[in-house]
């Protein structure tokens, strides 16, 4: 059986590291973009992002003042039992990590009825699913409000096809992408149901920018969307240029015959996530 305290320890350790250290694949993508970007203003923005990442890692200070909500996805092996008290262990880990590291508390008690701050960035937002094997993969993401606010779900008719998917992504980016702190990492979920397609898009953000899709059709769609997004000219920080997005990651799933659900989850230039393996007891 998985151990709740061990998973909590993994999350507690990950939070300050993610808050202060840019994901390696994102940093490398920014370095490539700096070489390719034709806009002088765009290059200057990318230089500042790289300088900011270096200072944050050196000084142990956050990459961004919005240190986000904490999303934890426990992908448990099929032979494991989810331990009792997991949610409580994760909340304790979030509370400890945010208070000890001096990170900004960004969670309110109720989105509508009580917008007072919880004061400790809890609760953590938890998903659990199963995969083959034993142990678990614990995925942790710190997600800022600006990038989540620019995300969307569209329920398209099947006749919309691939063109409709591309247009849905472009619509999200052109409407609010400049407020999501580009260059972006774009997660696209296609399929499932209204509620599950959003999770697909968020999980898509976990795949490294150095890891192209294994399915050639998915890889071609990712490349098509990336080219279309970068052709908008929104550019770094929304100030114009070639680099509106660093990469697009697509996850697909089965769906109803009458549906083509599409979710777009925008990740900002401080894409903060990690996936950690945990052994079962």
């Amino acid at each position: 059986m998985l151990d709740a305290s061990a998973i909590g320890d993994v999350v507690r350790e990950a939070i300050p590291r993610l808050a202060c250290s840019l994901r390696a694949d994102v940093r490398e993508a920014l370095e490539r973009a700096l070489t390719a970007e034709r806009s002088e203003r765009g290059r200057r923005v990318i230089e500042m992002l790289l300088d900011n990442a270096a200072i944050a890692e050196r000084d142990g200070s956050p990459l961004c003042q919005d240190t986000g909500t904490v999303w934890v996805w426990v992908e448990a092996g099929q032979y494991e039992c989810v331990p009792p008290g997991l949610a409580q262990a994760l909340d304790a880990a979030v509370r400890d990590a945010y208070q000890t590291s001096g990170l900004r508390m960004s969670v309110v008690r109720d989105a509508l009825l009580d917008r007072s701050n919880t004061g400790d960035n809890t609760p953590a937002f938890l998903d659990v699913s199963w995969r083959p094997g034993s142990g678990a993969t614990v995925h942790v993401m710190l997600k800022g409000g600006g990038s989540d606010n620019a995300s969307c779900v569209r329920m398209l008719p099947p006749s919309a096809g691939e063109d409709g998917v591309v247009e849905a992504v472009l619509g999200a980016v052109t409407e609010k992408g400049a407020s999501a702190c580009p260059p972006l990492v774009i997660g696209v979920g296609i399929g499932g149901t209204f509620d599950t397609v959003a999770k697909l898009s968020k999980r898509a953000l976990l795949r490294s920018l150095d890891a192209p899709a294994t399915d050639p059709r998915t890889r071609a769609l990712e490349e098509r969307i990336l080219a279309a997004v970068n052709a908008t000219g929104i550019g770094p920080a929304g100030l114009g240029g070639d680099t509106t997005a660093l990469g697009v990651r697509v996850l697909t799933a089965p769906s109803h015959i009458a549906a083509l659900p599409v979710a777009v989850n925008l990740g900002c230039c401080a894409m903060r996530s990690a996936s950690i393996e945990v052994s079962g007891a």
Side-chain angles (χ1 to χ4, degrees), residues 37 39 42 230 232-236 239-244:
E37 177 60 60
S39 162
N230 284 336
T232 63
I234 293 170
L239 298 176
D242 303 309
T243 319
T244 302

Side-chain angles (χ1 to χ4, degrees), residues 15-16 60 62 96-103:
I15 287 170
D96 291 349
Y98 272 74
Q99 291 177 344
T100 301
S101 302
L103 303 179

